[in-house]
Amino acid sequence: MPHDFSHLVIGGGVVGLAIAARLARTAANSVLLVERHSQVGTETSARNSEVIHAGLYHPPESLRTKLCIKGKNMLYEVASKSGIEYKQCGKWVVAQDEKQHEYLHKMYQRARDFTGVPLEWVSLSKASQLEPSIIAKAAILNSPTTGIVSAHSLMTYYEGQIEQHGGDIALNTAVVAIRQNETSGYTVSCKSDDSSDPIELTATCVINSAGLNAPNISNLLLPKERHVTAYYGKGNYFAYTHSQPKVNRLIYPCPSDHGSLGTHLTLDLNGRLKFGPDFEWVNSADDLQVNGQNLETVKQEISKYIKLDTSALVADYAGIRPKITQDSSKFHDFVIREEHGFPGFVNLLNIESPGLTSSLAIAEYVETILHQ
């Protein structure tokens, strides 16, 4: 008996949209994306730094590095042709002491020897001319392929691609159950806001790209011994309300652990400064109230690398990073896999930064998994 869809994608964030758009390009596919909210991209995809990452921080052999670098190149190419709003503004990573200088040196060597990501040293004298408000006491690495992109513009592009190639998006549609069919494929029970009874849909393949809710979706299908716990890393962002100083590129401090890249300076596409995210564990994915109590700590952190009027900083917004562990002392990679014993069911877990940058490459990777 034929299935309702060849591919059912769960989750309408930037990654789920990219996957659905990629799969819909194949004429033989019938693709449905289901999103539990009334709009796509309202969670992590709408509450981040909107940075196009270069691929600097993680192990060279990791998916997070490989897909970031490939996704970055794909994103710049697509954006330049498709009207997606972006800017390749570059980024400085600044060091304030010899320990941080050594960190940058290792970053430079790793990029040179393994990933090929372009990096260049900026002399402190040159830096003071280019960015007089920036403080760097030991060293600066410039990442020229870092940029910023409008997440909204990117997601609108993906939506257009889904529609153009005959795919469908169902909003206000929450997945409440998944079962593996005896012959092939899956039955997915979905509940809409305006219906009391779940609707059952069948699909040959199911892709779990539910972001913050991905562990819960996975647990609907996989046996208990393979269940995953969702953890939520909250990042608060702070806006700068003065017009001065002007900064022309992103500024990042040296990161202190694997949980966060530090409270960095980013720009929006109009050149306005914002700072964040900081990092704290929270118990709920709905805890989106900006923690203003962190403002004083943020002021202290950013004053180490920029001269500005910290009284002009105000709480702006917060976002949640989907995580599957609370151990930030170790690196944790993206999890993108077809689950053993469940052919055609692909899990995407721990898809945090650089998920937005990697979205096109992740979509290609998922398609490759399904075609193996």
Side-chain angles (χ1 to χ4, degrees), residues 48 78 114 147 199-200 216 241 254 261-262 268 296 351 360 362:
N48 59 74
V78 168
F114 297 107
I199 301 170
E200 290 195 338
N216 300 323
T241 59
C254 285
L261 298 182
D268 67 16
E296 289 306 315
I351 309 297
L360 286 164
I362 290 174

Side-chain angles (χ1 to χ4, degrees), residues 74-142:
M74 296 172 76
L75 181 52
Y76 277 132
E77 182 179 1
V78 168
S80 66
K81 298 176 180 178
S82 306
I84 296 168
E85 299 172 70
Y86 80 101
K87 183 177 182 181
Q88 190 172 332
C89 56
K91 174 178 81 174
W92 285 358
V93 187
V94 296
Q96 308 299 347
D97 54 37
E98 284 308 309
K99 182 178 179 181
Q100 293 183 358
H101 190 176
E102 179 62 24
Y103 180 98
L104 295 192
H105 182 67
K106 291 179 180 178
M107 178 187 288
Y108 179 82
Q109 286 186 311
R110 184 169 62 244
R112 182 192 62 189
D113 298 339
F114 297 107
T115 64
V117 175
L119 287 175
E120 56 194 16
W121 295 103
V122 180
S123 71
L124 299 186
S125 59
K126 177 77 171 192
S128 65
Q129 298 172 17
L130 293 173
E131 299 285 3
S133 63
I134 299 304
I135 303 167
K137 297 178 180 178
I140 299 172
L141 264 184
N142 176 44

Side-chain angles (χ1 to χ4, degrees), residues 307-366:
K307 294 173 283 189
L308 47 61
D309 180 3
T310 56
S311 68
L313 287 167
V314 296
D316 194 7
Y317 64 97
I320 307 290
R321 305 168 216 185
K323 293 178 177 287
I324 55 174
T325 177
Q326 286 187 307
D327 184 0
S328 60
S329 66
K330 299 177 183 177
F331 168 73
H332 299 280
D333 206 355
F334 289 161
V335 176
I336 307 175
R337 65 192 178 207
E338 183 179 51
E339 293 290 351
H340 177 70
F342 298 87
F345 181 76
V346 178
N347 250 336
L348 290 90
L349 305 169
N350 210 54
I351 309 297
E352 52 170 326
S353 180
L356 184 149
T357 304
S358 307
S359 56
L360 286 164
I362 290 174
E364 181 184 72
Y365 188 74
V366 168

Side-chain angles (χ1 to χ4, degrees), residues 246-354:
K246 292 291 186 183
V247 180
N248 299 304
R249 49 187 56 78
L250 312 185
I251 309 295
Y252 277 54
C254 285
S256 58
D257 59 42
H258 293 292
S260 170
L261 298 182
T263 303
H264 47 265
L265 181 159
T266 63
L267 307 169
D268 67 16
L269 288 163
N270 294 313
R272 290 188 290 263
L273 275 62
K274 58 182 177 180
F275 295 88
D278 57 8
F279 186 83
E280 61 181 308
W281 293 108
V282 294
N283 295 322
S284 169
D286 298 321
D287 185 354
L288 293 171
Q289 184 70 32
V290 182
N291 189 347
Q293 294 180 348
N294 293 353
L295 181 55
E296 289 306 315
T297 300
V298 168
K299 289 179 180 180
Q300 294 174 19
E301 290 300 311
I302 68 174
S303 293
K304 296 174 183 177
Y305 65 80
I306 184 169
K307 294 173 283 189
L308 47 61
D309 180 3
T310 56
S311 68
L313 287 167
V314 296
D316 194 7
Y317 64 97
I320 307 290
R321 305 168 216 185
K323 293 178 177 287
I324 55 174
T325 177
Q326 286 187 307
D327 184 0
S328 60
S329 66
K330 299 177 183 177
F331 168 73
H332 299 280
D333 206 355
F334 289 161
V335 176
I336 307 175
R337 65 192 178 207
E338 183 179 51
E339 293 290 351
H340 177 70
F342 298 87
F345 181 76
V346 178
N347 250 336
L348 290 90
L349 305 169
N350 210 54
I351 309 297
E352 52 170 326
S353 180

Side-chain angles (χ1 to χ4, degrees), residues 59-79:
E61 70 281 0
S62 67
L63 281 179
R64 284 173 78 165
T65 294
K66 291 178 178 179
L67 296 178
C68 178
I69 294 171
K70 187 167 190 176
K72 170 191 63 178
N73 295 331
M74 296 172 76
L75 181 52
Y76 277 132
E77 182 179 1
V78 168

